[in-house]
mmCIF file of all heavy atoms in Angstrom:
data_model
loop_
_atom_site.group_PDB
_atom_site.id
_atom_site.type_symbol
_atom_site.label_atom_id
_atom_site.label_comp_id
_atom_site.label_asym_id
_atom_site.label_seq_id
_atom_site.Cartn_x
_atom_site.Cartn_y
_atom_site.Cartn_z
ATOM 1 N N GLU B 56 -2.393 -32.510 11.718
ATOM 2 C CA GLU B 56 -1.405 -31.584 12.370
ATOM 3 C C GLU B 56 -1.540 -31.619 13.912
ATOM 4 O O GLU B 56 -0.784 -30.938 14.531
ATOM 5 C CB GLU B 56 -1.663 -30.165 11.885
ATOM 6 C CG GLU B 56 -1.423 -29.998 10.341
ATOM 7 C CD GLU B 56 -2.711 -29.439 9.666
ATOM 8 O OE1 GLU B 56 -3.806 -29.907 10.010
ATOM 9 O OE2 GLU B 56 -2.565 -28.633 8.730
ATOM 10 N N LYS B 57 -2.427 -32.458 14.413
ATOM 11 C CA LYS B 57 -2.678 -32.361 15.887
ATOM 12 C C LYS B 57 -1.473 -32.776 16.680
ATOM 13 O O LYS B 57 -1.033 -32.059 17.625
ATOM 14 C CB LYS B 57 -3.871 -33.324 16.263
ATOM 15 C CG LYS B 57 -4.169 -33.333 17.712
ATOM 16 C CD LYS B 57 -5.336 -34.279 18.033
ATOM 17 C CE LYS B 57 -5.496 -34.340 19.588
ATOM 18 N NZ LYS B 57 -6.521 -35.259 19.933
ATOM 19 N N LYS B 58 -0.820 -33.894 16.299
ATOM 20 C CA LYS B 58 0.196 -34.458 17.138
ATOM 21 C C LYS B 58 1.442 -33.499 17.213
ATOM 22 O O LYS B 58 1.924 -33.242 18.308
ATOM 23 C CB LYS B 58 0.654 -35.797 16.497
ATOM 24 C CG LYS B 58 1.140 -36.820 17.496
ATOM 25 C CD LYS B 58 1.291 -38.181 16.855
ATOM 26 C CE LYS B 58 2.391 -38.947 17.612
ATOM 27 N NZ LYS B 58 2.795 -40.120 16.885
ATOM 28 N N VAL B 59 1.823 -32.980 16.047
ATOM 29 C CA VAL B 59 2.939 -32.070 16.090
ATOM 30 C C VAL B 59 2.590 -30.831 16.868
ATOM 31 O O VAL B 59 3.455 -30.254 17.562
ATOM 32 C CB VAL B 59 3.431 -31.760 14.605
ATOM 33 C CG1 VAL B 59 2.621 -30.733 13.929
ATOM 34 C CG2 VAL B 59 4.912 -31.366 14.673
ATOM 35 N N GLY B 60 1.377 -30.347 16.765
ATOM 36 C CA GLY B 60 0.989 -29.154 17.506
ATOM 37 C C GLY B 60 1.029 -29.368 19.010
ATOM 38 O O GLY B 60 1.575 -28.531 19.740
ATOM 39 N N LEU B 61 0.533 -30.543 19.470
ATOM 40 C CA LEU B 61 0.555 -30.780 20.906
ATOM 41 C C LEU B 61 1.963 -31.062 21.460
ATOM 42 O O LEU B 61 2.326 -30.612 22.509
ATOM 43 C CB LEU B 61 -0.354 -31.956 21.207
ATOM 44 C CG LEU B 61 -1.863 -31.722 20.953
ATOM 45 C CD1 LEU B 61 -2.650 -32.950 21.431
ATOM 46 C CD2 LEU B 61 -2.350 -30.451 21.615
ATOM 47 N N TRP B 62 2.807 -31.688 20.590
ATOM 48 C CA TRP B 62 4.136 -31.913 21.007
ATOM 49 C C TRP B 62 4.912 -30.580 21.140
ATOM 50 O O TRP B 62 5.558 -30.317 22.155
ATOM 51 C CB TRP B 62 4.921 -32.807 19.991
ATOM 52 C CG TRP B 62 6.315 -33.088 20.483
ATOM 53 C CD1 TRP B 62 6.715 -34.048 21.368
ATOM 54 C CD2 TRP B 62 7.483 -32.314 20.236
ATOM 55 N NE1 TRP B 62 8.017 -33.877 21.703
ATOM 56 C CE2 TRP B 62 8.534 -32.811 20.978
ATOM 57 C CE3 TRP B 62 7.714 -31.166 19.418
ATOM 58 C CZ2 TRP B 62 9.820 -32.355 20.931
ATOM 59 C CZ3 TRP B 62 9.026 -30.643 19.368
ATOM 60 C CH2 TRP B 62 10.085 -31.212 20.122
ATOM 61 N N LEU B 63 4.701 -29.705 20.153
ATOM 62 C CA LEU B 63 5.390 -28.432 20.182
ATOM 63 C C LEU B 63 4.900 -27.562 21.348
ATOM 64 O O LEU B 63 5.713 -26.855 21.940
ATOM 65 C CB LEU B 63 5.171 -27.730 18.805
ATOM 66 C CG LEU B 63 6.024 -26.457 18.573
ATOM 67 C CD1 LEU B 63 7.494 -26.708 18.763
ATOM 68 C CD2 LEU B 63 5.771 -25.906 17.179
ATOM 69 N N LYS B 64 3.648 -27.679 21.658
ATOM 70 C CA LYS B 64 3.107 -26.917 22.835
ATOM 71 C C LYS B 64 3.867 -27.343 24.102
ATOM 72 O O LYS B 64 4.347 -26.480 24.837
ATOM 73 C CB LYS B 64 1.633 -27.219 22.981
ATOM 74 C CG LYS B 64 1.024 -26.559 24.238
ATOM 75 C CD LYS B 64 -0.486 -26.835 24.206
ATOM 76 C CE LYS B 64 -1.223 -26.065 25.301
ATOM 77 N NZ LYS B 64 -1.080 -26.639 26.669
ATOM 78 N N SER B 65 4.060 -28.621 24.330
ATOM 79 C CA SER B 65 4.721 -29.020 25.571
ATOM 80 C C SER B 65 6.209 -28.641 25.519
ATOM 81 O O SER B 65 6.772 -28.269 26.517
ATOM 82 C CB SER B 65 4.514 -30.507 25.867
ATOM 83 O OG SER B 65 5.263 -31.278 25.005
ATOM 84 N N TYR B 66 6.809 -28.718 24.362
ATOM 85 C CA TYR B 66 8.209 -28.298 24.205
ATOM 86 C C TYR B 66 8.389 -26.849 24.594
ATOM 87 O O TYR B 66 9.254 -26.434 25.399
ATOM 88 C CB TYR B 66 8.684 -28.517 22.818
ATOM 89 C CG TYR B 66 10.112 -28.084 22.572
ATOM 90 C CD1 TYR B 66 11.198 -28.950 22.771
ATOM 91 C CD2 TYR B 66 10.448 -26.792 22.143
ATOM 92 C CE1 TYR B 66 12.531 -28.523 22.619
ATOM 93 C CE2 TYR B 66 11.740 -26.315 22.033
ATOM 94 C CZ TYR B 66 12.777 -27.232 22.216
ATOM 95 O OH TYR B 66 14.057 -26.766 22.004
ATOM 96 N N LEU B 67 7.516 -26.009 24.064
ATOM 97 C CA LEU B 67 7.634 -24.542 24.306
ATOM 98 C C LEU B 67 7.302 -24.217 25.764
ATOM 99 O O LEU B 67 7.879 -23.341 26.339
ATOM 100 C CB LEU B 67 6.702 -23.763 23.358
ATOM 101 C CG LEU B 67 7.167 -23.738 21.906
ATOM 102 C CD1 LEU B 67 6.052 -23.240 20.959
ATOM 103 C CD2 LEU B 67 8.436 -22.925 21.712
ATOM 104 N N GLU B 68 6.374 -24.969 26.354
ATOM 105 C CA GLU B 68 6.002 -24.739 27.774
ATOM 106 C C GLU B 68 7.151 -25.119 28.659
ATOM 107 O O GLU B 68 7.478 -24.466 29.624
ATOM 108 C CB GLU B 68 4.730 -25.513 28.151
ATOM 109 C CG GLU B 68 3.511 -24.792 27.624
ATOM 110 C CD GLU B 68 2.209 -25.587 27.769
ATOM 111 O OE1 GLU B 68 2.261 -26.789 28.105
ATOM 112 O OE2 GLU B 68 1.144 -24.973 27.588
ATOM 113 N N ASP B 69 7.905 -26.177 28.286
ATOM 114 C CA ASP B 69 9.130 -26.580 29.026
ATOM 115 C C ASP B 69 10.136 -25.401 28.972
ATOM 116 O O ASP B 69 10.950 -25.235 29.921
ATOM 117 C CB ASP B 69 9.753 -27.782 28.386
ATOM 118 C CG ASP B 69 9.139 -29.059 28.886
ATOM 119 O OD1 ASP B 69 8.303 -28.964 29.812
ATOM 120 O OD2 ASP B 69 9.434 -30.149 28.324
ATOM 121 N N LYS B 70 10.113 -24.661 27.892
ATOM 122 C CA LYS B 70 11.078 -23.528 27.716
ATOM 123 C C LYS B 70 10.473 -22.256 28.297
ATOM 124 O O LYS B 70 10.927 -21.109 27.920
ATOM 125 C CB LYS B 70 11.436 -23.339 26.242
ATOM 126 C CG LYS B 70 11.968 -24.589 25.573
ATOM 127 C CD LYS B 70 13.318 -24.959 26.047
ATOM 128 C CE LYS B 70 13.746 -26.293 25.469
ATOM 129 N NZ LYS B 70 14.928 -26.917 26.127
ATOM 130 N N LYS B 71 9.440 -22.350 29.060
ATOM 131 C CA LYS B 71 8.859 -21.215 29.854
ATOM 132 C C LYS B 71 8.097 -20.231 28.948
ATOM 133 O O LYS B 71 7.926 -19.083 29.320
ATOM 134 C CB LYS B 71 9.939 -20.454 30.632
ATOM 135 C CG LYS B 71 10.766 -21.359 31.543
ATOM 136 C CD LYS B 71 9.968 -21.687 32.796
ATOM 137 C CE LYS B 71 10.748 -22.586 33.739
ATOM 138 N NZ LYS B 71 10.503 -24.081 33.500
ATOM 139 N N PHE B 72 7.621 -20.696 27.777
ATOM 140 C CA PHE B 72 6.672 -19.858 27.044
ATOM 141 C C PHE B 72 5.270 -20.101 27.521
ATOM 142 O O PHE B 72 4.946 -21.202 27.966
ATOM 143 C CB PHE B 72 6.737 -20.282 25.510
ATOM 144 C CG PHE B 72 7.957 -19.791 24.799
ATOM 145 C CD1 PHE B 72 9.064 -20.586 24.669
ATOM 146 C CD2 PHE B 72 8.011 -18.543 24.238
ATOM 147 C CE1 PHE B 72 10.202 -20.185 23.991
ATOM 148 C CE2 PHE B 72 9.073 -18.091 23.519
ATOM 149 C CZ PHE B 72 10.218 -18.906 23.386
ATOM 150 N N THR B 73 4.466 -19.082 27.442
ATOM 151 C CA THR B 73 3.005 -19.307 27.567
ATOM 152 C C THR B 73 2.502 -19.700 26.210
ATOM 153 O O THR B 73 2.818 -19.029 25.174
ATOM 154 C CB THR B 73 2.336 -17.974 28.019
ATOM 155 O OG1 THR B 73 2.875 -17.626 29.278
ATOM 156 C CG2 THR B 73 0.819 -18.157 28.155
ATOM 157 N N VAL B 74 1.744 -20.771 26.092
ATOM 158 C CA VAL B 74 1.302 -21.209 24.769
ATOM 159 C C VAL B 74 -0.258 -21.267 24.729
ATOM 160 O O VAL B 74 -0.922 -21.848 25.562
ATOM 161 C CB VAL B 74 1.866 -22.619 24.470
ATOM 162 C CG1 VAL B 74 1.426 -23.081 23.074
ATOM 163 C CG2 VAL B 74 3.347 -22.621 24.584
#
Side-chain angles (χ1 to χ4, degrees):
E56 300 121 320
K57 178 180 176 184
K58 211 169 151 195
V59 80
L61 295 184
W62 183 85
L63 191 53
K64 176 176 189 280
S65 74
Y66 178 89
L67 289 167
E68 283 172 346
D69 278 352
K70 306 291 175 193
K71 306 284 177 267
F72 284 95
T73 301
V74 182

